[in-house]
Amino acid sequence: MPLPDAQPAQVVREYGPFPGVDAIHGVTHDGRRVWAAVGDRLLAIDPASGQATAQLRRAGDAGTAFDGTHLWQIAGARIERIDPATGEVLAAIPAPGGGEDSGMAWAEGSLWVGQYRQRKIHQVDPQTGEVLRTLESNRFVTGVTWVDGQLWHGTWEADESELRRIDPDSAAVLERLAMPAGAGVSGLESDGAELFYCGGGLSGKVRAVKRPRSAPAAC
């Protein structure tokens, strides 16, 4: 089916760059704070002040997710479940891409893990790492998020980035938001309300993007 026309993404705020941070690899939201994986640690960012208020010394080179209690972080070929208060790794499962993974989200008891160059999103059992099903994209997949029954993912290809809402059964593209020139998306998460938080790759920034409210939830 033909792609819907892309609408311009509305970037409402930028956070960072942060001291000692060369790139943003993953982003999530715990209901109060934005978490960003920055390579050798996870930063907790206060979205009101824009300041980093805490950090965990844990490797994070790809997607980050929050399940309501724990952080999940891709670190190489592993996905680690982390206590956000202490930084302790409580469990780990294999990452479906074996180290070639990108974004990650939590929804309805599963992890949803992107594979960048393979242009895929996997639904993963968080207890075993088993891939339950796979969705195919026609663009490189960066961040992944679920919000209000909608599945969105970031793309970054040929110096162009979009946020795309896709059908969670067929992977058909339902809606496209084009990021401004030079604003790549290296991680994606919703705050559950009006905003997406997008990792900005080598810019070292996190961008808040207004979420469209007119789109219906996926069935």
Side-chain angles (χ1 to χ4, degrees):
M1 61 182 293
L3 290 176
D5 292 337
Q7 303 301 314
Q10 298 183 48
V11 179
V12 298
R13 186 167 179 180
E14 291 189 340
Y15 303 93
F18 300 94
V21 172
D22 297 324
I24 306 293
H25 302 290
V27 178
T28 195
H29 189 272
D30 68 5
R32 297 184 299 112
R33 299 170 295 180
V34 178
W35 288 86
V38 299
D40 61 347
R41 55 205 155 110
L42 303 178
L43 292 183
I45 303 163
D46 177 2
S49 69
Q51 299 299 307
T53 59
Q55 64 178 0
L56 302 176
R57 287 287 179 183
R58 287 297 172 192
D61 52 16
T64 313
F66 182 70
D67 66 8
T69 303
H70 301 110
L71 293 166
W72 294 79
Q73 179 59 53
I74 297 174
R78 293 157 51 92
I79 301 175
E80 297 179 339
R81 180 163 59 92
I82 299 170
D83 183 330
T86 66
E88 180 184 359
V89 175
L90 304 175
I93 57 174
E100 298 182 357
D101 308 271
S102 53
M104 184 166 59
W106 174 274
E108 298 180 348
S110 293
L111 292 166
W112 297 76
V113 182
Q115 274 193 278
Y116 179 63
R117 294 190 178 277
Q118 289 72 25
R119 305 182 183 189
K120 296 178 180 179
I121 299 172
H122 302 291
Q123 182 185 3
V124 174
D125 184 321
Q127 300 300 319
T128 65
E130 178 187 358
V131 174
L132 304 176
R133 64 188 178 108
T134 299
L135 299 172
E136 304 270 353
S137 175
N138 66 352
R139 299 284 286 179
F140 289 165
V141 174
T142 56
V144 182
T145 190
W146 278 88
V147 56
D148 292 341
Q150 299 174 357
L151 176 57
W152 290 78
H153 76 82
T155 72
W156 192 350
E157 193 166 349
D159 296 323
E160 296 181 352
S161 271
E162 294 181 358
L163 307 182
R164 289 185 167 190
R165 181 168 68 93
I166 64 172
D167 185 299
D169 295 315
S170 69
V173 180
L174 304 176
E175 191 169 6
R176 301 164 63 205
L177 302 179
M179 293 293 285
V185 176
S186 61
L188 178 64
E189 183 64 287
S190 167
D191 67 352
E194 298 181 353
L195 296 176
F196 290 120
Y197 290 103
C198 304
L202 296 177
S203 72
K205 297 180 179 181
V206 175
R207 297 181 175 94
V209 173
K210 187 174 181 180
R211 181 166 75 95
R213 302 298 291 178
S214 57
C219 298

